[in-house]
Amino acid sequence: MFRKVVRQSKFRHVFGQPVKNDQCYEDIRVSRVTWDSTFCAVNPKFLAVIVEASGGGAFLVLPLSKTGRIDKAYPTVCGHTGPVLDIDWCPHNDEVIASGSEDCTVMVWQIPENGLVSPLTEPVVVLEGHTKRVGIVTWHPTARNVLLSAGCDNVVLIWNVGTAEELYRLDSLHPDLIYNVSWNRNGSLFCTACKDKSVRIIDPRRGTLVTEREKAHEGARPMRAIFLADGKVFTTGFSRMSERQLALWDPENFGEPMALQELDSSNGALLPFYDPDTNVVYVCGKGDSSIRYFEITDEPPYIHFLNTFTSKEPQRGMGSMPKRGLEVSKCEIARFYKLHERKCEPIVMTVPRKSDLFQDDLYPDTAGPEAALEAEEWVSGRDANPILISLREAYVPSKQRDLKVNRRNVLSDSRPAAAPGSPRPGASTPAAFTSIAAPGGSLAGAGEAGKLEEVMQELRALRALVKEQGDRICRLEEQLGRVENGDA
């Protein structure tokens, strides 16, 4: 008698759950542009959705807390003269977003700290270099102010947003329309999926093709390719018989896929969302009403199906929350923002756990908001992995959000100067004090300098106290865990 052994995985019982109606974003006129974009971008502060706009292109930017019905007169970001095709939040500044449009331009916007109170028509930077519509914008994962854009002119441009200059132009590597672009973990390479059915891995600083796989998927419909944390490439596409496929590739041996799975015969392009911390890939089809999720492992068959979240309504687009924006106290490992015809519905992915303690195995250190490199360092040839932060701080109430975010950014300097002595929005407390004390600030005289030093000393003492309490809470949690497990 043989008994079937079920593969063990801590993500086998992950379940998706839509939030209640009062926590959705209602009455949003989602864009009807025929472009295979996600139409949605989200970060721990804001939700951005590309919307219908007469006489140009626009997108909504909503604080996450602004749920319920959105007024038709709610201000939008509306500086483009053609429909917006893609948007992407800067990973190193939660108030900066880039947009690409049919008007052939890329624009970078600085959103006020508390959201929009009037329409935003003036971008911080306008980047002009494409000759046809710009369908893809994506920020560099580790270098500050480095932005990649790809257009229907089959050209990939890489920009230094801080100086508004074009760093690299890659115009001879793609003979046809580029479907998507994905950076690798440290931003030294990126991979592209192209209409000629090829997946290419490109070194942007040398402008060279590292490796190429022709006919990664035989079908003529759009495909996608994304880099995984270990350097492998995950693709979605269609077979010759128009069946939807997933594949995993090793760039060192691009001849045959490590794994190839057929899903179904629907028409919608599959959009993959990857979590490098858990190695789980979530696959959403445009026009589908489901999200499938798979775990990628080192042993065959490499791609392990976990489960499917199904709802009644089809999705028009999807946004994925970065790991640092999740509620770790509820064992939330992913959150998606699903676009319907007229609303945006958050969907929470949770691992069921009995314990209320912080789950170290679900939340390894994840990429934080601090840039590992400046743009000039990356251009000079340096590479660096993302600077990691622990999510335990987000779990312990006394240390919540103490992530030492560095907000100093060339983008902020491009805005009109604030009133003398007022701290810049989004600046962390130490940076705000530093800017006040800098030469040319409004403080003068030894008396004020003495007061400032006194405040800084109090701040340092408070930080030390918070750290000490955090360590104490960690020790108590470990002791409690040992008692619950019967080890003590």
Side-chain angles (χ1 to χ4, degrees):
M1 290 289 291
F2 288 99
R3 192 175 55 176
K4 187 179 178 183
V5 178
V6 177
R7 179 181 159 272
Q8 286 299 312
S9 169
K10 58 195 167 198
F11 305 112
R12 199 156 58 88
H13 300 292
V14 169
F15 67 95
Q17 198 167 17
V19 301
K20 294 177 181 173
N21 275 340
D22 61 347
Q23 293 175 282
C24 294
Y25 305 84
E26 301 275 355
D27 216 12
I28 295 174
R29 302 183 303 282
V30 178
S31 174
R32 295 177 176 275
V33 175
T34 54
W35 181 255
D36 280 322
S37 162
T38 58
F39 290 145
C40 180
V42 63
N43 70 16
K45 288 183 78 169
F46 296 110
L47 164 70
V49 180
I50 302 174
V51 293
E52 283 287 294
S54 53
F59 57 95
L60 269 177
V61 175
L62 303 169
L64 288 187
S65 58
K66 187 170 177 56
T67 52
R69 185 178 170 279
I70 308 301
D71 194 313
K72 286 183 179 176
Y74 193 85
T76 58
V77 180
C78 50
H80 285 286
T81 56
V84 177
L85 300 180
D86 196 21
I87 49 178
D88 192 32
W89 286 106
C90 176
H92 309 125
N93 189 332
D94 287 343
E95 292 158 18
V96 172
I97 188 168
S99 58
S101 165
E102 282 194 8
D103 63 11
C104 308
T105 64
V106 177
M107 293 185 180
V108 181
W109 312 83
Q110 184 119 18
I111 307 299
E113 186 178 12
N114 298 315
L116 298 177
V117 290
S118 60
L120 186 58
T121 57
E122 288 298 319
V124 179
V125 185
V126 179
L127 305 171
E128 297 176 321
H130 289 283
T131 56
K132 291 186 179 178
R133 59 183 183 166
V134 182
I136 298 165
V137 288
T138 178
W139 292 90
H140 192 284
T142 60
R144 192 192 316 278
N145 290 344
V146 175
L147 178 68
L148 179 150
S149 63
C152 295
D153 49 7
N154 310 334
V155 173
V156 176
L157 294 179
I158 297 174
W159 309 86
N160 182 343
V161 172
T163 58
E165 64 180 325
E166 185 183 297
L167 295 176
Y168 303 102
R169 172 179 286 265
L170 309 173
D171 53 8
S172 59
L173 297 176
H174 297 91
D176 213 329
L177 181 68
I178 302 164
Y179 286 135
N180 88 301
V181 178
S182 170
W183 291 98
N184 68 351
R185 181 79 164 157
N186 65 5
S188 58
L189 305 170
F190 63 80
C191 67
T192 63
C194 183
K195 195 173 181 180
D196 67 354
K197 303 181 186 177
S198 290
V199 173
R200 296 173 173 85
I201 295 178
I202 294 165
D203 183 331
R205 288 171 294 195
R206 292 200 176 104
T208 56
L209 186 66
V210 177
T211 182
E212 178 181 6
R213 164 67 195 187
E214 296 177 358
K215 293 191 177 178
H217 294 277
E218 298 273 347
R221 293 178 183 274
M223 61 181 192
R224 289 283 189 281
I226 57 170
F227 259 118
L228 304 186
D230 60 1
K232 294 186 177 66
V233 174
F234 181 88
T235 60
T236 63
F238 291 82
S239 70
R240 189 176 293 167
M241 306 300 291
S242 287
E243 290 180 308
R244 297 198 291 190
Q245 295 178 322
L246 313 173
L248 184 67
W249 306 83
D250 182 356
E252 303 292 322
N253 180 18
F254 237 175
E256 290 295 321
M258 296 171 64
L260 180 67
Q261 288 189 16
E262 293 195 345
L263 290 184
D264 53 33
S265 52
S266 291
N267 291 332
L270 290 168
L271 307 175
F273 295 90
Y274 173 61
D275 179 359
D277 302 331
T278 58
N279 259 344
V280 175
V281 175
Y282 302 85
V283 178
C284 319
K286 274 212 159 182
D288 289 8
S289 54
S290 63
I291 302 173
R292 296 178 176 89
Y293 30 110
F294 303 82
E295 187 175 4
I296 311 295
T297 63
D298 294 331
E299 68 272 358
Y302 303 111
I303 302 174
H304 303 273
F305 173 73
L306 292 172
N307 211 334
T308 304
F309 165 80
T310 308
S311 58
K312 294 176 184 175
E313 296 284 325
Q315 55 232 13
R316 302 210 44 195
M318 192 76 75
S320 173
M321 173 67 79
K323 210 60 174 290
R324 58 194 173 89
L326 303 179
E327 288 192 50
V328 298
S329 57
K330 296 181 179 175
C331 295
E332 184 183 351
I333 62 163
R335 191 190 313 154
F336 294 98
Y337 287 74
K338 173 181 173 177
L339 298 184
H340 298 245
E341 197 83 19
R342 300 282 294 185
K343 77 170 183 178
C344 176
E345 176 187 44
I347 295 165
V348 175
M349 297 287 181
T350 309
V351 177
R353 291 279 169 97
K354 290 180 180 176
S355 173
D356 290 333
L357 301 178
F358 178 74
Q359 306 293 315
D360 294 273
D361 60 326
L362 297 183
Y363 302 106
D365 288 357
T366 191
E370 183 118 12
L373 296 171
E374 296 298 328
E376 295 75 18
E377 294 176 298
W378 181 74
V379 170
S380 71
R382 281 189 59 193
D383 291 318
N385 285 323
I387 295 176
L388 303 182
I389 57 169
S390 168
L391 292 179
R392 188 182 286 271
E393 281 86 346
Y395 178 77
V396 179
S398 62
K399 293 185 73 177
Q400 196 166 13
R401 302 295 175 211
D402 185 18
L403 300 178
K404 297 182 183 174
V405 182
N406 182 6
R407 295 288 191 194
R408 285 183 296 106
N409 195 307
V410 182
L411 290 164
S412 304
D413 301 337
S414 304
R415 294 191 301 168
S422 62
R424 181 170 49 76
S428 58
T429 314
F433 281 121
T434 309
S435 66
I436 294 170
S442 63
L443 290 184
E448 283 85 348
K451 286 179 190 172
L452 181 62
E453 182 56 36
E454 192 179 324
V455 171
M456 293 298 287
Q457 283 177 358
E458 284 183 20
L459 191 64
R460 284 193 284 270
L462 273 172
R463 278 188 165 174
L465 181 63
V466 169
K467 185 175 185 306
E468 186 184 325
Q469 292 297 331
D471 294 341
R472 181 167 170 269
I473 289 169
C474 291
R475 287 197 300 275
L476 288 171
E477 282 182 352
E478 288 170 9
Q479 289 173 12
L480 183 60
R482 287 200 293 273
V483 170
E484 285 185 347
N485 295 332
D487 296 338

